[in-house]
Amino acid sequence: MKKLLFLSLFLSLTFVFAQEKPVRMGIAGMTHDHVYQILNNPNRAGVEIIGFAEPNKELALRLLKKYNLPESLLYASLDEMLEKAKPEAVCDFRSIIEHLETVQKCAPKGVHVMVEKPLAVNFAHATQMAALAKKHNIQLLTNYETTWYASNHQAYEMIHGQNTIGDIRKVVIHDGHRGPKEIGVSKEFLSWLTDPVKNGGGAIIDFGCYGADIMAWLMKGERPNSVTAITQTIKPETYPNVDDEATIVVTYPKAQGIFQGSWNWPFDRKDIEVYGKTGYIFADKSAQTTVRKGDRNALPEEKIAVKPLETPMNDAFTYFAAVARGKVKSENDLGSLKINMVAMEILDAAVKSSKTGKTVVLK
């Protein structure tokens, strides 16, 4: 009898979950090339795409046509989409400096927001965005590609759940590629990605933000003591207004982080090295994590298969929908506001340090 009652309850809950309406999700802007993530596959679990707000009609129609999406989804502005389509959540694919405006318009209407990395163009904007999210009780997330790397989550569990390498001592994070122009990003994306006002910087923002986010997460939201950064423009003929090479160093009482963001790598890379008191872990996008434990005479490196992430933790839009519905608590996740406020404080201090040549002390 108990088994029958349990089965009946399980089937009932499954039916209710299946019948739950998807989150009505709108897209603000199409100038960020990462918008292809949703254009290429708009049918995500728990999500209904109800519109794209893009004032550049030529760009919008070109992209909608390319991905076989109806013109009826197009709105001339975020205001129009909010008024007519009434989304429950909005994903921002505009320039970073416009993230604040998106939250200013969405938050008072109770519309949840997820922006592409980083959270804001500077810490002042991030502070305003956080205040609006709190005041109007909305979720405010930041989407990083590396959030969906199962290897990163496995490394975190090995460090904090299994104590595989002891306390963190040094974290080295590499992110970048040959450069946005070199890899052929769209002209619309390139125009603001290389603008020091609209993007807040060059490689230091574009790729330094990954390191800031992951470090803040690995350190469980702890603020560093200091931030030091050095930037260069190695290709001034290509990037005359922003840096294309950046190194950020953050210090904690018993740990150090080094983030290398570059538009000069000979190949694409997004990987992390975490050195603990008793070993190290290397993780990238691959299906294996490299681990070594013990002293110099210990066993050689071990390759550990990475366990795939489960739904909704394996997809940005499904995850956003789950957070909007209250099914997932995002407080300490890579995309959470808590972690990204620390990441923005690091990033903001790094930009200041690179301009002044001085270390910025946070504590």
Side-chain angles (χ1 to χ4, degrees):
M1 181 63 71
K2 288 183 178 180
K3 288 184 177 180
L4 289 175
L5 288 173
F6 177 79
L7 179 60
S8 177
L9 177 61
F10 175 77
L11 291 174
S12 296
L13 289 174
T14 302
F15 176 77
V16 170
F17 180 78
Q19 294 299 309
E20 185 177 55
K21 291 183 178 180
V23 172
R24 293 174 56 79
M25 195 173 291
I27 307 300
M30 301 174 79
T31 61
H32 196 309
D33 281 0
H34 286 186
V35 75
Y36 78 86
Q37 296 169 354
I38 196 67
L39 287 168
N40 191 48
N41 180 19
N43 300 313
R44 309 296 180 106
V47 174
E48 179 190 0
I49 299 299
I50 52 81
F52 292 83
E54 175 50 61
N56 184 338
K57 189 173 182 180
E58 185 277 326
L59 167 66
L61 291 177
R62 170 163 39 96
L63 290 176
L64 290 175
K65 182 178 180 180
K66 178 179 179 180
Y67 290 94
N68 297 311
L69 294 173
E71 186 178 335
S72 59
L73 287 173
L74 179 59
Y75 294 91
S77 68
L78 175 58
D79 288 323
E80 183 185 18
M81 185 175 71
L82 288 170
E83 179 184 351
K84 295 181 179 179
K86 301 192 183 312
E88 300 171 77
V90 164
C91 300
D92 194 335
F93 288 95
R94 306 195 291 170
S95 67
I96 302 173
I97 201 169
E98 293 174 286
H99 289 181
L100 174 58
E101 181 186 58
T102 297
V103 177
Q104 288 173 330
K105 292 183 175 182
C106 289
K109 297 180 181 295
V111 176
H112 305 292
V113 177
M114 181 172 73
V115 301
E116 278 298 291
K117 57 83 184 173
L119 173 61
V121 75
N122 54 46
F123 190 61
H125 274 209
T127 301
Q128 293 180 62
M129 292 163 68
L132 283 165
K134 182 178 180 179
K135 178 181 178 180
H136 298 286
N137 194 32
I138 68 160
Q139 296 292 331
L140 177 54
L141 306 180
T142 306
N143 181 33
Y144 293 80
E145 177 187 332
T146 46
T147 296
W148 319 110
Y149 287 9
S151 56
N152 286 343
H153 293 271
Q154 180 164 295
Y156 185 95
E157 173 59 24
M158 293 174 71
I159 294 164
H160 294 296
Q162 303 169 15
N163 195 31
T164 301
I165 61 171
D167 294 339
I168 293 174
R169 290 292 181 258
K170 185 184 291 288
V171 180
V172 184
I173 302 175
H174 309 96
D175 292 286
H177 47 47
R178 291 177 294 128
K181 189 170 184 178
E182 287 83 350
I183 68 170
V185 304
S186 69
K187 63 180 181 180
E188 292 84 5
F189 189 22
L190 186 68
S191 69
W192 65 257
L193 188 61
T194 56
D195 186 311
V197 175
K198 294 180 179 179
N199 196 54
I204 192 171
I205 298 292
D206 189 31
F207 285 118
C209 67
Y210 287 99
D213 177 56
I214 291 172
M215 191 72 187
W217 178 60
L218 289 174
M219 297 302 291
K220 296 185 175 182
E222 181 182 353
R223 296 170 65 241
N225 291 341
S226 68
V227 180
T228 308
I230 298 173
T231 57
Q232 290 176 262
T233 303
I234 294 175
K235 298 175 287 193
E237 69 283 359
T238 306
Y239 306 109
N241 301 315
V242 293
D243 64 280
D244 57 27
E245 193 71 36
T247 300
I248 302 170
V249 179
V250 297
T251 64
Y252 295 81
K254 294 184 178 181
Q256 185 180 100
I258 303 170
F259 321 142
Q260 299 180 22
S262 177
W263 288 350
N264 291 288
W265 294 117
F267 50 85
D268 297 358
R269 69 183 304 182
K270 287 187 176 72
D271 55 74
I272 65 173
E273 301 169 10
V274 185
Y275 299 89
K277 193 174 180 179
T278 60
Y280 67 79
I281 297 172
F282 173 83
D284 59 11
K285 196 177 183 179
S286 67
Q288 292 183 323
T289 298
T290 302
V291 181
R292 183 170 181 177
K293 297 176 285 186
D295 59 25
R296 63 194 301 175
N297 299 314
L299 294 173
E301 291 181 339
E302 180 183 3
K303 302 290 185 180
I304 299 177
V306 174
K307 182 181 179 181
L309 296 174
E310 297 180 355
T311 303
M313 307 304 296
N314 59 354
D315 176 77
F317 305 97
T318 298
Y319 171 80
F320 184 26
V323 172
R325 283 281 186 261
K327 293 179 180 179
V328 173
K329 303 297 182 183
S330 67
E331 183 179 1
N332 296 301
D333 289 352
L334 277 159
S336 69
L337 183 57
K338 173 185 174 180
I339 295 300
N340 277 277
M341 287 302 291
V342 177
M344 278 308 308
E345 191 172 13
I346 292 172
L347 204 57
D348 191 78
V351 171
K352 291 176 180 176
S353 174
S354 70
K355 292 179 178 180
T356 63
K358 298 179 180 180
T359 294
V360 176
V361 178
L362 299 183
K363 291 186 177 179

